[in-house]
Amino acid sequence: SGGLQANSSFTVGYSAVQPAHSRSYLTVQLLTDGNVTGQEEQMNELVKSLPSPTLPGLQLPCLNTGSYKGWLFKWTNYLKGYQRRWFVLSNGLLSYYRTQAEMAHTCRGTIPLATAYIEVGDTCHLVLTSGGRSYHLKATSEGECQRWVSALQQAKANSTLMMHHSDDSGDEGPLPQEDRVLTQGVLKTLASKLDDLSTCNELIGKHGAALQRSLSELEELRGSADSTDRVKSVNERATLFRITSNAMINVCRDFLDVAESQSRRWQKTLQYEREQRHHLEETIEQLAKQHNSLERAWKENPTSYTGVERSQEGDASDENEEAEFFDAMEDSPAFITVTDSSGTNHMQLRRTRRSRIPDKPNYSLNLWSIMKNCIGKDLSKIPMPVNFNEPLSMLQRLTEDLEYSELLDRAARCDSTLEQMCLVAAFSVSSYSTTVHRTAKPFNPLLGETYELDRLEEYGYRSISEQVSHHPPAAAHHVTSQRGWTLWQHITIDSKFRGKYISVMPLGNIHLQFHSSGNHYVWSKVTSTVHNIIVGKLWIDQSGDIDIVNNNTKDTCRLKFSPYSYFSREVPRKVTGVIEDREGTARYILSGTWDDKMESAKIVDSSQGCGGSEGKQKTVYQTLQPKLLWKKYPLPDNAENMHFFSSLALTLNEPEEGIAPTDSRLRPDQRLMEAGVWDEANTQKQRLEECQRLERKRREAQANQALEEGYQPLWFEKRTDDTTGESTYIYRGGYWEAKDRQDWSQCPEIF
């Protein structure tokens, strides 16, 4: 009515409402404490400058209540009762901290108000219910409680409205038609917001010019009688300029939020499509090559497929020939070999590996009767029935580290050593993903036992491992890949039974070297702990630190495996890490879980955050969007009845031809256990362990008579590592050559 009084105080509130006729409208409320006069035209311009009523999802909070902060008391538990917490209401989220200083680095919890139910109690109490959980809060006074309730209800209304107009997740791709509609809607939203920005920009320019003129006129009229009116005019123009500027800032923020959320969604969709296209191209190329080779070989010598001489009478139809071809495929489930007229090998298709093993039988066993006298002993010295085992040896479990060998293949192609370090770190974490449900104990290998894994055809690598010591149990492992890397390790197992849990501490280092760059990485393993040995459901946890060092560039990576705690708010099985260059500058942040996935984020800036309760400063990193490094493969169907084996683990004990007589696949107790015949497996296990004890006594007696210097491994030899200075076992060579000759005369008879 009339206009604005220059000295009056006012606020402008924007409220997006959806009435029955589905058109948004804006209300402008002027709260004054004096007369309202003048400048009605400028107020109309202000209203016109606000965002378009038809713009979906737009929300401009009140200029004086954009966020709300303050102290509230939050109920924790019956021991501590209500505890004072610092609450921050912003963008539809209510977050709380122990202190204001924690806002820089640690949030204790966040409550989304869009799906929350707000209940007001008596005596300054209110209850927020979200996601099945209730938060009991208490204010210091009735007035403060009412202010919080008003702010929470307004934030809930705004958040609910935003949920109907936007989708910020971007994780689940919609159907193609829905995707196009969503994209068009977003583009219209961004275009509309650009129009709002243009309008605000023009109005800011107009108000700014008017304000400048008023200031010039005020300078000219200094000391005159008309100066009072001019001062009022300048104050009024300045107020309008400030309101319009705030409106533009809010529109810019909304524009940026929408653009960033959609950008993240589009980036994920684009990356997924690229990976799918690359995979499809590789598959098509491989199928085309196989088709051409098979067609050419068939034309050259079709009898090599069927084993039957082709009819010379010429009355055999093409359909009969094709039937003979497929019959030959069914007769050779493992390999299809095509030979030309000269007898040389023309082509060999990939072998089909097994995808299941017999289901695990349900055997009852009194655990305490076996374990009660074993507390404090080394686990490797406890006589265990196969009921506690899984049908794999420790050598095979060691080979399972290669489940995600494609990470090393990708790392071998990296030009950046820091990106290569990210992939090596992800590989070191991925080896634990197969253990999340694997609480059973692997078989302790016999001294001299070996295990080979030849995957040249499928993945380009060969692996050989050998049990080089029995007390303490130690295994040596060597892997060579045709795709540019070599890995070797010497692991000694130290394990203790503590009554409620079993801890397994692998000692020794893992070495990885890339052929093209010569980069040599070294790291070790963390501690594995099996809980609830006596009472409750068994579960496994990994805890400790892994320090990865590139001995060439001196880049380092420290990975922290957080131990599980019932009272912790952290994600279970969490792994975090920081990659630093040789100067000690942090370059990448790693995060994820050891049972699911790992991501890396490049650091673009860092700063010192506020000190915590202990007075220590924490570094705050600003990073780019995280990039997925590794994702766990899903378990095979019926895995819960097959010892929770992964696809690779199911093939590790598959029978092979031409392997050494000391190979774990030939171990009788392990083979019987896999077949489900556990009583016979226990009998064989006792026989093998007794034979091993007798052999050890014989060897010790000969050593005392200076006839030999203890046990010497067959395929590995003890050396001092040039890089770390440690005493370790290195592959001496000769295994694969002996396999080609089928000369196993040097192998002991251990089974």
Side-chain angles (χ1 to χ4, degrees), residues 433-560:
S433 63
T434 61
T435 67
V436 62
H437 301 295
R438 303 267 291 278
T439 55
K441 174 180 175 291
F443 279 79
N444 286 332
L446 303 178
L447 189 62
E449 187 173 331
T450 62
Y451 181 74
E452 70 159 71
L453 188 67
D454 190 343
R455 292 292 190 266
L456 281 180
E457 291 293 328
E458 295 96 328
Y459 306 111
Y461 67 78
R462 273 178 167 180
S463 166
I464 176 64
S465 54
E466 181 180 6
Q467 188 77 356
V468 296
S469 173
H470 188 64
H471 287 296
H477 185 207
H478 183 86
V479 190
T480 302
S481 173
Q482 294 178 339
R483 300 178 183 176
W485 52 270
T486 299
L487 182 144
W488 66 96
Q489 56 182 321
H490 168 220
I491 300 296
T492 302
I493 301 298
D494 185 15
S495 54
K496 293 294 182 181
F497 172 53
R498 298 300 185 186
K500 292 183 179 180
Y501 62 90
I502 291 175
S503 294
V504 179
M505 291 79 69
L507 308 176
N509 289 325
I510 303 172
H511 297 257
L512 171 66
Q513 188 166 26
F514 292 100
H515 302 165
S516 59
S517 63
N519 287 334
H520 183 183
Y521 295 87
V522 182
W523 70 93
S524 57
K525 290 179 174 287
V526 296
T527 299
S528 301
T529 306
V530 181
H531 296 269
N532 292 348
I533 296 298
I534 304 302
V535 179
K537 183 179 179 180
L538 293 174
W539 60 278
I540 193 167
D541 193 24
Q542 315 288 347
S543 59
D545 294 337
I546 291 181
D547 292 319
I548 307 175
V549 180
N550 183 341
N551 289 315
N552 285 26
T553 63
K554 305 305 178 185
D555 299 335
T556 60
C557 173
R558 164 157 288 195
L559 294 171
K560 179 177 178 60

Side-chain angles (χ1 to χ4, degrees), residues 565-618:
S565 173
Y566 179 79
F567 301 100
S568 175
R569 294 181 179 271
E570 297 287 351
V571 177
R573 309 180 186 97
K574 182 179 180 181
V575 180
T576 56
V578 179
I579 292 178
E580 298 179 347
D581 58 21
R582 64 187 309 160
E583 285 80 20
T585 304
R587 305 295 295 275
Y588 281 88
I589 292 290
L590 303 178
S591 61
T593 57
W594 53 263
D595 68 323
D596 185 23
K597 65 179 180 180
M598 286 296 294
E599 295 179 334
S600 67
K602 188 174 183 179
I603 298 173
V604 295
D605 192 17
S606 62
S607 60
Q608 292 296 324
C610 298
S613 58
E614 300 178 357
K616 298 180 179 179
Q617 285 189 332
K618 293 188 176 180

Side-chain angles (χ1 to χ4, degrees), residues 1-254:
S1 61
L4 291 175
Q5 176 69 24
N7 293 328
S8 62
S9 62
F10 61 90
T11 60
V12 181
Y14 306 91
S15 175
V17 185
Q18 296 291 337
H21 51 77
S22 299
R23 290 189 61 189
S24 302
Y25 66 91
L26 298 171
T27 61
V28 179
Q29 182 183 16
L30 303 180
L31 308 178
T32 69
D33 55 2
N35 295 326
V36 181
T37 60
Q39 307 297 333
E40 184 175 9
E41 178 183 355
Q42 286 149 344
M43 194 67 242
N44 292 332
E45 290 177 352
L46 170 62
V47 175
K48 293 178 182 178
S49 71
L50 296 177
S52 170
T54 61
L55 182 62
L58 178 62
Q59 203 64 75
L60 294 180
C62 295
L63 299 179
N64 61 341
T65 57
S67 62
Y68 200 84
K69 305 176 182 179
W71 292 101
L72 287 174
F73 289 89
K74 175 183 174 293
W75 175 263
T76 54
N77 53 53
Y78 286 99
L79 295 178
K80 296 182 179 180
Y82 282 94
Q83 296 292 317
R84 193 166 179 253
R85 296 289 184 263
W86 178 255
F87 280 80
V88 176
L89 173 61
S90 179
N91 296 325
L93 299 175
L94 181 64
S95 305
Y96 59 92
Y97 312 82
R98 287 186 178 176
T99 62
Q100 298 183 47
E102 275 194 349
M103 292 177 61
H105 53 82
T106 305
C107 178
R108 299 292 171 177
T110 301
I111 307 170
L113 295 178
T115 58
Y117 174 72
I118 304 173
E119 180 182 359
V120 182
D122 52 358
T123 62
C124 310
H125 284 75
L126 62 147
V127 180
L128 298 181
T129 304
S130 177
R133 182 177 179 182
S134 297
Y135 300 84
H136 296 264
L137 309 177
K138 183 172 66 173
T140 55
S141 64
E142 288 287 351
E144 181 68 14
C145 180
Q146 186 58 43
R147 284 190 290 272
W148 271 107
V149 171
S150 300
L152 291 171
Q153 289 176 343
Q154 180 63 33
K156 174 178 171 61
N158 295 342
S159 300
T160 304
L161 185 62
M162 289 292 288
M163 287 180 63
H164 295 306
H165 294 291
S166 64
D167 179 11
D168 296 336
S169 65
D171 292 333
E172 298 181 1
L175 297 175
Q177 181 63 29
E178 297 176 352
D179 198 10
R180 286 194 293 270
V181 173
L182 180 60
T183 302
Q184 293 172 359
V186 172
L187 291 176
K188 289 181 180 179
T189 302
L190 295 178
S192 179
K193 288 184 179 295
L194 279 176
D195 292 338
D196 296 331
L197 288 175
S198 300
T199 303
C200 289
N201 183 52
E202 293 175 1
L203 196 58
I204 284 178
K206 182 178 179 181
H207 287 317
L211 181 60
Q212 186 64 42
R213 288 196 304 270
S214 297
L215 290 174
S216 301
E217 293 171 358
L218 183 62
E219 183 68 22
E220 295 174 357
L221 296 174
R222 180 180 296 176
S224 66
D226 197 25
S227 62
T228 302
D229 294 336
R230 293 296 183 182
V231 169
K232 291 181 180 180
S233 176
V234 170
N235 286 334
E236 191 171 327
R237 291 180 184 276
T239 301
L240 288 171
F241 184 79
R242 176 176 58 81
I243 293 174
T244 309
S245 301
N246 287 333
M248 185 173 186
I249 291 173
N250 288 328
V251 174
C252 290
R253 185 180 297 113
D254 285 346

Side-chain angles (χ1 to χ4, degrees), residues 183-475:
T183 302
Q184 293 172 359
V186 172
L187 291 176
K188 289 181 180 179
T189 302
L190 295 178
S192 179
K193 288 184 179 295
L194 279 176
D195 292 338
D196 296 331
L197 288 175
S198 300
T199 303
C200 289
N201 183 52
E202 293 175 1
L203 196 58
I204 284 178
K206 182 178 179 181
H207 287 317
L211 181 60
Q212 186 64 42
R213 288 196 304 270
S214 297
L215 290 174
S216 301
E217 293 171 358
L218 183 62
E219 183 68 22
E220 295 174 357
L221 296 174
R222 180 180 296 176
S224 66
D226 197 25
S227 62
T228 302
D229 294 336
R230 293 296 183 182
V231 169
K232 291 181 180 180
S233 176
V234 170
N235 286 334
E236 191 171 327
R237 291 180 184 276
T239 301
L240 288 171
F241 184 79
R242 176 176 58 81
I243 293 174
T244 309
S245 301
N246 287 333
M248 185 173 186
I249 291 173
N250 288 328
V251 174
C252 290
R253 185 180 297 113
D254 285 346
F255 180 87
L256 184 61
D257 290 342
V258 173
E260 286 183 346
S261 62
Q262 293 303 320
S263 175
R264 288 193 296 269
R265 179 179 176 277
W266 288 332
Q267 285 177 358
K268 291 180 180 179
T269 304
L270 181 60
Q271 180 63 26
Y272 174 77
E273 293 298 333
R274 284 175 176 171
E275 292 176 356
Q276 290 295 101
R277 186 185 66 179
H278 180 68
H279 177 69
L280 182 60
E281 289 175 350
E282 289 183 344
T283 304
I284 292 175
E285 182 181 0
Q286 183 179 8
L287 288 174
K289 290 180 179 178
Q290 292 181 359
H291 175 77
N292 292 335
S293 300
L294 283 171
E295 187 178 29
R296 185 171 58 252
W298 168 254
K299 291 179 179 179
E300 292 176 356
N301 191 9
T303 59
S304 62
Y305 285 95
T306 61
V308 180
E309 291 296 328
R310 192 173 184 178
S311 174
Q312 301 296 325
E313 300 176 0
D315 57 351
S317 66
D318 293 338
E319 293 180 357
N320 291 335
E321 293 173 1
E322 187 175 4
E324 290 179 350
F325 172 74
F326 285 107
D327 288 343
M329 292 182 65
E330 294 172 0
D331 291 339
S332 303
F335 291 95
I336 302 173
T337 304
V338 181
T339 57
D340 58 19
S341 57
S342 62
T344 59
N345 190 25
H346 185 71
M347 192 188 79
Q348 180 172 291
L349 294 184
R350 183 175 299 177
R351 171 175 178 171
T352 301
R353 303 285 177 181
R354 70 179 185 181
S355 58
R356 66 168 294 107
I357 59 175
D359 288 356
K360 175 183 177 182
N362 186 16
Y363 277 83
S364 61
L365 187 68
N366 187 349
L367 178 64
W368 181 242
S369 64
I370 298 174
M371 305 294 286
K372 63 183 179 180
N373 297 322
C374 303
I375 297 177
K377 293 183 180 179
D378 187 338
L379 194 63
S380 63
K381 297 182 179 180
I382 300 175
M384 290 281 192
V386 299
N387 305 58
F388 298 126
N389 288 62
E390 61 179 16
L392 290 178
S393 73
M394 191 62 202
L395 298 179
Q396 291 165 310
R397 284 290 292 268
L398 206 61
T399 309
E400 272 194 81
D401 289 356
L402 303 173
E403 174 109 23
Y404 298 93
S405 62
E406 70 271 11
L407 290 172
L408 300 184
D409 298 340
R410 289 164 53 192
R413 300 191 297 266
C414 275
D415 296 328
S416 168
T417 57
L418 293 173
E419 292 180 1
Q420 189 178 74
M421 174 70 85
C422 291
L423 291 168
V424 173
F427 174 79
S428 68
V429 175
S430 69
S431 61
Y432 297 97
S433 63
T434 61
T435 67
V436 62
H437 301 295
R438 303 267 291 278
T439 55
K441 174 180 175 291
F443 279 79
N444 286 332
L446 303 178
L447 189 62
E449 187 173 331
T450 62
Y451 181 74
E452 70 159 71
L453 188 67
D454 190 343
R455 292 292 190 266
L456 281 180
E457 291 293 328
E458 295 96 328
Y459 306 111
Y461 67 78
R462 273 178 167 180
S463 166
I464 176 64
S465 54
E466 181 180 6
Q467 188 77 356
V468 296
S469 173
H470 188 64
H471 287 296

